[in-house]
Amino acid sequence: MSLPRLYQPSPLDTVEDPEQYRPHGLHPVHLGDILSKRYKIIHKLGHGGFSTVWLARDLHAGPSPRYVSVKLLTASAPRPPPEAAVLAALHAAPPHPGQSHLAALLDTFTVAGPNGTHTTLVTPLYGPSVQALARARGRGWLRPAVARALARQLALALSHIHACGLAHGDLTCANIVLQLRGGLAGWSEEAVYAAFGAPVRAGVAAIGAAPPGGHAPRYLVAPLDFAGAGREWLAPRVTVVDFGTAFSLRAPPRDGVGVPLAYCAPEAAFAPACVGAAADLWALGCCVFEMRAGAALFDMFFGTRDEVVRQVVQCLGRLPEALWRMWEARGAFFDDAGRPNGTTAVAYPLREMLEDVGREEGGGGAAEGAGKHRTGELWQDVMEPMEAAEVGAMEAVLRRLLRYNPDERVAAAEVCNDPWFTGKF
């Protein structure tokens, strides 16, 4: 039975639901709060179902300001948090080129408040996610060579995760972030606000009498928009974050991990317990496409499994027999041979999708050759179509990752060396 609502919905559409501020839920945070006598909250970075994330100034860094990310978990989250143990294990392992592309844990402590005791994780300050950049991009996207280099960094990071006997479990472009040049070190708080905007807040209003106990904050804060604030602050390096659902490959969770369907391997979409390294590799293929194309390989408009599986079959063909029979809605889109019916489903093969990258933006010539639309180290203001040679090379690498048979997907350690990543095609 759902609990009655205590608070009015917020007029801000990018903030957490104020109903999450209850006993055992989120901790109420306000701008200017100082946590652990060290971290001064100056802006919001984001939120999830089990945490809020804040931009904080490290007051122990000396006269030159240093900024960090502070993640406060719900009071009901396990202690110690599995994410902290995972990050510690990944960075304690023997040196690997993928280690520098994994989130680092700088500090951890607890905060006591009206809703309970909250574990808090401190990491370096990172920039926008690839997903946020794609949604805010308008025209243009990462330069092709940059996108390929960033995708290789992601593959290296995943190869290290798997070499440590772990799976990420939630590898999506929302959890792949670009690093900031210098991490804003030395910036004053005023300079941060001038570059990225001052915090936007809206009061929390109770329904009826205000609930006693101060469980909710006085106001909610909209997240800082790194993605829309200018690309001159971004460095050509990615970091994989959010290891809250990571797990040991020897003991995968029986109920799955809840990866978004757009990145979910088909076997896990129908049997959630079928998660592991192979499911990460399918997600890697989806992320590689998105990093090069600036758009998702499989879109979610309505958020249903049938919607995503339809796109998968349109792109890659009929599912294996066991999964095909498990998909009860298949007849609404395809005949039994996997041919689309032409109304609710149409063929859109992977190669055709790659050939369409950049076409709608009218860039003209091939992406590597023209160069006239490049506007900086990272970005081109108009995405241009791929050369035929890159289309072929990228299709080949994606088909190695997006195999229906999980055992046939190429390992991350091997795919890192594919010539597509270095442009040698």
Side-chain angles (χ1 to χ4, degrees), residues 188-261:
S188 67
E189 294 175 25
E190 292 73 21
V192 172
Y193 294 146
F196 303 111
V200 176
R201 41 186 160 177
V204 174
I207 297 174
H215 296 286
R218 297 187 302 276
Y219 52 82
L220 300 178
V221 181
L224 180 154
D225 182 17
F226 276 132
R231 288 142 196 144
E232 62 270 28
W233 320 118
L234 304 180
R237 290 181 62 81
V238 295
T239 298
V240 179
V241 299
D242 197 349
F243 287 79
T245 57
F247 57 88
S248 169
L249 294 175
R250 293 184 304 233
R254 294 181 179 179
D255 297 327
V257 292
V259 63
L261 287 167

Side-chain angles (χ1 to χ4, degrees), residues 159-183:
S159 71
H160 180 59
I161 294 170
H162 289 175
C164 291
L166 299 167
H168 185 278
D170 190 20
L171 190 67
T172 74
C173 281
N175 291 329
I176 304 164
V177 297
L178 268 71
Q179 295 183 15
L180 296 170
R181 295 185 183 278

